[in-house]
Amino acid sequence: MDLTKFFEYMDNRKKVDATSDLFGVFNALSQEAIKITMEINNKYHTPDELVELFSKLTGKAVDPTFRLFPPFYTDCGKNITIGKDVFINACCRFQDQGGISIGDGCLIGHNVTIATLNHNFDPDMRMDMHPAPVKIGKNVWVGSDSTILPGVEIGDGAIIGAGSVVTKNVLTNAIVCGNPAKFIKMCK
């Protein structure tokens, strides 16, 4: 299965059967991601070198305004899309098989986890997975130690308070906080 077919399958949010060939694709992408993230995380790189390495990790050009403070972890890499002027702080973990899109001007705090896969609830099929993309709009600030769960969309200008677990969509310019994250007020 090539990357185009992989993306099409994951975009359709179809169940990924644990015995399918798609698991082989997961493994191959994971091995490549491990290799590139080991390079990112285990020696100093200039900001320009990190842009180049992140472009290699995602398989698409990352804007030169992108900034990353390593370490950074992902188990796929190829289904991440990054806008301009995005900053990702240290120790973030992206599970991006289902797709992660981060808009222009976003700030991602320390230790943020973004997940795009859920396991099957039936114990007999627990290894099967259900993908759902995470979409983060423009100028969003995700506070440190937050977790964004599969299928969540965060509107432009929103703020996710530190330590939040985001289980539902967040409105444009909304501030949410807590576990689960709840609406606090509007930014503007």
Side-chain angles (χ1 to χ4, degrees):
M1 177 181 287
D2 66 13
L3 275 179
T4 303
K5 289 182 181 173
F6 170 77
F7 293 142
E8 286 173 7
Y9 191 94
M10 299 309 276
D11 286 346
N12 288 324
R13 297 185 180 203
K14 294 180 185 174
K15 178 184 84 164
V16 179
D17 190 301
T19 61
S20 71
D21 291 340
L22 193 54
F23 260 68
V25 175
F26 276 22
N27 187 51
L29 291 173
S30 292
Q31 292 307 306
E32 183 179 349
I34 289 168
K35 183 177 180 182
I36 297 168
T37 56
M38 290 293 281
E39 174 66 21
I40 289 170
N41 296 338
N42 289 305
K43 74 178 204 178
Y44 172 77
H45 295 284
T46 66
D48 290 341
E49 290 170 335
L50 287 171
V51 167
E52 184 179 327
L53 284 164
F54 215 83
S55 296
K56 184 176 177 183
L57 178 66
T58 63
K60 43 188 109 59
V62 173
D63 193 81
T65 59
F66 171 73
R67 291 295 173 258
L68 171 71
F69 284 0
F72 174 81
Y73 306 96
T74 185
D75 53 5
C76 180
K78 296 297 186 244
N79 213 357
I80 299 171
T81 302
I82 301 285
K84 296 177 183 178
D85 295 312
V86 169
F87 173 68
I88 299 175
N89 218 324
C91 300
C92 289
R93 294 167 303 280
F94 289 9
Q95 178 200 50
D96 64 286
Q97 288 92 336
I100 295 172
S101 173
I102 300 175
D104 297 345
C106 286
L107 305 173
I108 310 296
H110 290 91
N111 276 333
V112 168
T113 298
I114 302 174
T116 65
L117 294 174
N118 233 339
H119 288 278
N120 200 305
F121 291 174
D122 181 341
D124 294 332
M125 296 185 289
R126 186 67 35 95
M127 294 301 291
D128 294 347
M129 290 187 269
H130 301 273
V134 169
K135 296 178 183 176
I136 300 173
K138 295 178 181 179
N139 300 310
V140 172
W141 174 17
V142 180
S144 296
D145 295 306
S146 293
T147 299
I148 302 170
L149 295 181
V152 168
E153 293 187 25
I154 299 173
D156 295 346
I159 297 173
I160 310 303
S164 294
V165 177
V166 185
T167 61
K168 296 179 181 173
N169 293 348
V170 176
L171 297 173
T172 296
N173 293 319
I175 299 173
V176 300
C177 192
N179 179 6
K182 293 185 174 150
F183 176 79
I184 303 297
K185 66 180 183 176
M186 298 305 283
C187 297
K188 296 183 189 185

